[in-house]
Amino acid sequence: MNEPIVIVGAGLGGIRLAENLRNGGYDGDVVLLGQESHPPYDRPPLSKTVVTGDDERVDLKPSEFYADKNIDLRTGTRVVAVDPEAHTVTVVHDGETSAVSYGTLVLATGLVARRFPGIDDDVRGIHVIRTIEDALALRADAASATRAAVIGAGFIGCEVAASLRKLELPVTLIEPAPTPLAVAVGATIGEMITRLHREADVDLRVGTGVDNLVVADGAVSGVVLSDGSTVDADLVVVGIGGYPDLDYLDGSGLELAPREAGGGIACDGVGRAADDVYALGDAANWTDAHGDHKRVEHWNHVVDQAAIVASALLGHPITHQAVPYFWSDQYGLKIQMLGAPQNDDDVHVVDDDGRRFLAYYSRGGILTGVVGAGRVGKLMKTRPHLLTPTPIAALLGE
């Protein structure tokens, strides 16, 4: 196969796929279309080292990589339509519209950040974090702000709160769930995450949502909570997740997964969405081994999918037995989770010194996940136990 492979989305998934294709011996054209004007960069540092000023931008590859690998990187190029029958994508670059032909198309368009509803985008002091421009704008505003409020205590919200505290800015972190990261790790571990934030003097408001933002003279000045209180803030970060913006697929005939399954582009188990069309990353909803659709928004998941799609395109499909994994950096600790536990799983805390900790999750007596903070070595040693059914009693020494 040496027909052009066109990859839409110059983020982690797009660049890893292009690299895997070249490393696997593919010598046809590889075209990488990126909407942003920058070369591909890593997003996890945005809410951490970029906000704090420790990094400006973390590029995924050096500039010479694209020429060395013969990858046609086209930045500042926005895809506005896909025509699977004609095997073309319509793009806009510098105000000019044109068509790009493909033999195989891979969609890796990621997410866009959710903004606070009903508030104009030009209100000063309100931020989301998805792009490098977002992170730099937040950093610039933080330098002159007097108090910040972070809406949402998921991964992004917790990391931003930690980064702003590193900048010595007073922070209120607002979350409708009982604890930070409650959806991801459950209430028991959420309480341990709560300790970290409160030790850093974060004003943590849990169990309450946000009704509205206070705006005066074109700038934000506070956050109105659903419990009736108001938090003063001249800097507000909205960390309520993102969604796949798939308007460019209107009229393409490509199937989208149902909302209750996570939405996104519906794919089979190797990322195939239609003949000669694949999707991977945050915007893709793959079919798992049980025939269920699942869309996952984790860095390592994207890397695994890029390897699977590349192998499928190269004609030697692989089957991954990867253990789900994610991490978050907060207050000098690496918080990690292996596996896919559910909120009502049993939690077994096996190590806790008041700051660092390690815990196992189980269901029906079988290990389902491991989470730790500052326990990298101990956590990683448990990975083999998640590849096969492991009785929790064997790990607890019972």
Side-chain angles (χ1 to χ4, degrees), residues 367-389:
L367 180 73
T368 57
V370 183
V371 65
R375 301 300 192 196
V376 177
K378 289 183 177 180
L379 180 135
M380 286 304 179
K381 287 180 180 179
T382 66
R383 185 187 292 267
H385 298 300
L386 289 160
L387 290 172
T388 58

Side-chain angles (χ1 to χ4, degrees), residues 75-312:
T75 58
T77 302
R78 180 167 57 94
V79 173
V80 296
V82 173
D83 188 338
E85 289 191 9
H87 276 55
T88 62
V89 293
T90 303
V91 303
V92 176
H93 177 75
D94 286 340
E96 298 291 330
T97 301
S98 62
V100 177
S101 298
Y102 66 83
T104 301
L105 177 66
V106 183
L107 305 173
T109 46
L111 305 177
V112 294
R114 294 187 188 278
R115 297 183 178 273
F116 195 86
I119 301 295
D120 293 338
D121 291 344
D122 59 356
V123 174
R124 299 187 304 278
I126 302 176
H127 296 267
V128 297
I129 288 197
R130 184 63 190 173
T131 68
I132 183 66
E133 285 82 7
D134 293 337
L136 294 176
L138 174 57
R139 188 171 82 191
D141 270 9
S144 59
T146 60
R147 184 166 191 88
V150 179
I151 302 173
F155 296 111
I156 293 295
C158 285
E159 290 172 357
V160 169
S163 295
L164 293 177
R165 286 302 298 132
K166 185 176 181 180
L167 297 175
E168 300 184 350
L169 189 63
V171 175
T172 300
L173 180 58
I174 305 158
E175 169 58 47
T179 71
L181 296 181
V183 174
V185 302
T188 300
I189 304 304
E191 289 292 349
M192 295 180 173
I193 305 299
T194 295
R195 289 188 321 209
L196 300 177
H197 289 280
R198 288 193 167 141
E199 286 171 2
D201 292 326
V202 171
D203 178 9
L204 188 58
R205 307 286 186 96
V206 295
T208 184
V210 174
D211 281 351
N212 209 345
L213 303 184
V214 182
V215 176
D217 298 324
V220 69
S221 61
V223 181
V224 181
L225 305 187
S226 57
D227 63 8
S229 62
T230 298
V231 173
D232 293 334
D234 54 358
L235 179 70
V236 174
V237 183
V238 182
I240 55 176
Y243 63 94
D245 186 0
L246 302 176
D247 288 350
Y248 70 94
L249 294 180
D250 288 351
S252 69
L254 293 178
E255 181 184 353
L256 301 184
R259 183 175 181 178
E260 58 270 21
I265 303 166
C267 303
D268 65 12
V270 295
R272 185 182 297 106
D275 290 343
D276 301 323
V277 180
Y278 291 74
L280 62 87
D282 293 348
N285 196 314
W286 285 28
T287 305
D288 65 17
H290 304 290
D292 298 322
H293 280 292
K294 184 176 294 185
R295 190 175 65 82
V296 180
E297 300 175 8
H298 293 316
W299 195 95
N300 282 70
H301 196 79
V302 176
V303 171
D304 287 340
Q305 288 186 334
I308 293 170
V309 172
S311 294

